[in-house]
Amino acid sequence: MATEVDTWSSAPPADGMPSLDGNPAEGSHPYSDDEDALNEVEVNGNWTPQEKALHEARLKAKAKRRLRKSSSRNSTSESFSESGELAPGDPNSPKGKVNTNDRKSRTGKGRGLPKKGGAGGKGVWGAAGMVYEVEEPDARDPNYDESSQGDTVYATVVPEVDEKELEKMVNPIVQEYFEHGDTKEVEMLLKELNLGPHKYEFSSLAVSLSLEGKASHRELTSRLLSDLSGKMLSQSDMGRAFDKILKELPDLILDTPEAPQMLGQFIARAIADHVLPMSFLDCYKGKVDCDHARVALDRAAVLLTMKRKMVRLDNVWGVGGGLRPVKHLVKEMNLLLKEYLISGDVSEAEQCLRDLEVPHFHHELVYEAVVMVLESKGESASHMMVKLLQSLWKTGLITVDQMNRGFQRVFDELPEISLDVPHAHSIMETFVDLCYQEAVITKQLRDACPSRGRKRFVSEGDGGLIKN
């Protein structure tokens, strides 16, 4: 019986039954601490040391889990209110949370502090006490309002011209300048381009193109360099440009065999126009290995050491182009015809006429040639002029319009010429017939030649009257 009493006294109470010895309030709770006590009894009585150590480790882990769980719970939901009752939760919350804006970690890790010190999360403007600086509006911002930024200044941004595209953009400008000869227009076009550090290459390209062209093109290029110097191109830029051309001479002579001499004339003209510094030639003394570059520099030195070395070398490229004065062109054509009458070289006369580069003014040559025939003595001048006009006609150097215009001018001025040359009409008729026979002029032009009517005097008995 004693054994049965001990067993009943040590046995745990039934589920939901109050304890006999304990507090009635404790009977309402299921066994929690009693289980621990029972385990301790069993450990002290029946468990081995290994089982005892394992059980103690389990108890410690269980205690840590309880501590972490209690520390991560909301203080409002875990504690009682002042009235001793639990604080009611939010009925609208799916989990019954009291404060949905709480920033504490809900993962059960950490110390229960807010994330990022309370400065993170949606709808948060930063930590308390943070002062924001004024930020400049960004044009790429989707909310950027251009009208609210005050006065807006628009600036045109021109991209820098690439070195590979420079030649394609400069060539049309230079070729067009050779037609109109307006340096101001070239300057305006260059200002629209952002040449950047490659602006000196414009001068080298212009000179290279003029070497392949006519003498008038080289004259226009020299004027262009003179007008651009100091405005858009400095002396150092010009020096770099001519230095580049000197290095490219071996390639330039393949297309233009006279390139070294022409480049020397360019350098001399540029120094005389103060486009290049006076010390430009001194920088190359004893430092040039290329024979072609040495020829160009020697040519420039010779031109600058002439008697009028400081005078602008305006005639370094000769006379050419319609930009020359008319009186100067007339003088050159008179000189051309006089030299032809002395030498009789037709090819030389043709070359001189081509060098003048005034195809629109060739009628002046025809006019001067016919007037020289009328004022000359003998028939040699007449035959030489017919030979020259015939050669110019066949080569196409003088067109039909220019030929007709030159003869027509003589026809119109023939009465005035007759005052100095009494036999001008008869000489004119003979010369026109000879030109028609050599197919220099057309039949219409021959028929348009004026002829003085033959006046016949009557006998002296008629009182010296003239019969019609």
Side-chain angles (χ1 to χ4, degrees):
M1 290 296 294
T3 305
E4 293 179 358
V5 172
D6 294 337
T7 304
W8 280 101
S9 63
S10 62
D15 189 6
M17 295 298 292
S19 177
L20 299 176
D21 302 331
N23 195 350
E26 294 177 1
S28 61
H29 296 280
Y31 54 92
S32 58
D33 295 335
D34 296 340
E35 182 181 358
D36 297 338
L38 179 61
N39 293 334
E40 290 178 1
V41 174
E42 292 177 355
V43 167
N44 294 331
N46 301 327
W47 287 0
T48 62
Q50 291 81 2
E51 294 176 349
K52 180 180 178 181
L54 180 59
H55 185 68
E56 290 179 355
R58 289 177 180 175
L59 293 178
K60 291 180 180 180
K62 186 176 182 181
K64 289 182 180 180
R65 285 196 299 271
R66 287 180 179 178
L67 179 61
R68 284 200 300 267
K69 187 174 182 181
S70 61
S71 62
S72 62
R73 289 176 182 171
N74 193 336
S75 58
T76 307
S77 61
E78 292 287 331
S79 61
F80 289 98
S81 61
E82 295 179 357
S83 60
E85 298 179 356
L86 289 172
D90 188 3
N92 298 325
S93 177
K95 296 184 179 181
K97 296 180 181 179
V98 177
N99 188 5
T100 58
N101 294 327
D102 183 24
R103 299 300 172 189
K104 293 183 180 180
S105 175
R106 302 183 183 90
T107 60
K109 299 181 181 180
R111 298 175 295 170
L113 300 178
K115 293 181 180 179
K116 300 181 181 179
K122 184 177 180 181
V124 177
W125 292 86
M130 182 180 294
V131 179
Y132 294 94
E133 298 179 357
V134 179
E135 295 184 0
E136 295 294 333
D138 188 2
R140 296 173 295 181
D141 189 353
N143 298 325
Y144 177 78
D145 187 6
E146 183 178 357
S147 60
S148 63
Q149 304 302 325
D151 297 335
T152 304
V153 179
Y154 296 93
T156 304
V157 179
V158 180
E160 184 177 328
V161 179
D162 189 19
E163 186 177 1
K164 297 180 181 179
E165 300 179 356
L166 180 63
E167 186 174 356
K168 296 181 181 179
M169 303 181 69
V170 168
N171 281 355
I173 297 176
V174 177
Q175 294 293 348
E176 186 178 356
Y177 167 70
F178 289 159
E179 299 295 332
H180 58 72
D182 190 357
T183 58
K184 293 183 179 180
E185 183 175 350
V186 177
E187 182 179 355
M188 180 184 65
L189 293 175
L190 291 179
K191 287 182 179 179
E192 296 177 357
L193 300 177
N194 185 8
L195 299 180
H198 307 295
K199 61 180 179 179
Y200 74 95
E201 294 187 10
F202 171 79
S203 303
S204 61
L205 289 173
V207 173
S208 300
L209 291 175
S210 64
L211 292 178
E212 301 175 359
K214 305 176 182 178
S216 60
H217 295 169
R218 293 187 282 274
E219 173 66 24
L220 291 173
T221 304
S222 296
R223 294 183 184 181
L224 179 62
L225 297 181
S226 177
D227 292 344
L228 294 180
S229 178
K231 297 179 181 179
M232 296 190 63
L233 300 173
S234 61
Q235 287 188 346
S236 61
D237 295 332
M238 294 293 183
R240 293 180 62 186
F242 278 99
D243 182 71
K244 181 181 179 181
I245 302 174
L246 287 172
K247 295 178 180 178
E248 295 177 352
L249 271 178
D251 297 332
L252 293 176
I253 61 174
L254 298 178
D255 298 328
T256 309
E258 299 178 355
Q261 291 79 6
M262 294 180 182
L263 183 58
Q265 294 175 354
F266 264 115
I267 294 175
R269 175 69 176 271
I271 294 176
D273 292 345
H274 304 287
V275 174
L276 291 175
M278 296 297 296
S279 60
F280 180 78
L281 295 178
D282 298 336
C283 299
Y284 291 93
K285 288 184 178 180
K287 300 179 182 179
V288 180
D289 298 331
C290 180
D291 296 335
H292 304 294
R294 192 179 296 110
V295 170
L297 296 174
D298 292 342
R299 175 66 174 170
V302 169
L303 292 175
L304 291 173
T305 53
M306 295 172 64
K307 294 181 179 180
R308 294 179 294 176
K309 60 181 180 180
M310 298 307 296
V311 180
R312 293 185 56 167
L313 302 175
D314 290 334
N315 296 328
V316 70
W317 302 116
V319 180
L323 301 177
R324 294 293 184 179
V326 175
K327 292 182 179 180
H328 190 82
L329 292 175
V330 172
K331 184 179 179 180
E332 289 294 327
M333 289 187 176
N334 273 322
L335 182 61
L336 183 155
L337 293 173
K338 289 179 181 179
E339 291 180 354
Y340 167 70
L341 291 176
I342 296 174
S343 64
D345 191 352
V346 178
S347 60
E348 181 67 21
E350 291 180 1
Q351 184 62 36
C352 293
L353 185 60
R354 284 193 176 92
D355 292 341
L356 291 178
E357 299 179 11
V358 282
H360 60 281
F361 202 63
H362 285 174
H363 62 85
E364 180 68 25
L365 179 71
V366 178
Y367 172 81
E368 295 293 338
V370 176
V371 172
M372 283 188 179
V373 171
L374 297 178
E375 295 178 352
S376 64
K377 297 179 180 179
E379 297 181 356
S380 61
S382 177
H383 290 285
M384 292 183 67
M385 288 301 178
V386 170
K387 182 180 178 182
L388 176 62
L389 293 177
Q390 183 183 18
S391 177
L392 297 176
W393 170 266
K394 290 182 178 180
T395 56
L397 198 57
I398 295 181
T399 62
V400 178
D401 296 336
Q402 297 294 320
M403 187 73 73
N404 293 341
R405 187 176 179 184
F407 273 93
Q408 192 63 45
R409 286 178 58 191
V410 180
F411 294 164
D412 297 338
E413 297 179 6
L414 196 57
E416 298 179 1
I417 297 175
S418 299
L419 299 177
D420 299 328
V421 183
H423 302 285
H425 283 82
S426 60
I427 298 174
M428 189 68 192
E429 291 177 0
T430 305
F431 184 72
V432 168
D433 291 338
L434 185 60
C435 290
Y436 177 71
Q437 293 175 3
E438 299 294 336
V440 176
I441 61 175
T442 61
K443 183 179 180 180
Q444 291 80 5
L445 186 61
R446 185 199 65 173
D447 297 340
C449 178
S451 61
R452 174 180 290 181
R454 184 177 180 182
K455 296 180 180 180
R456 183 173 57 85
F457 287 90
V458 297
S459 61
E460 295 178 358
D462 294 336
L465 297 178
I466 300 177
K467 280 189 177 182
N468 293 329

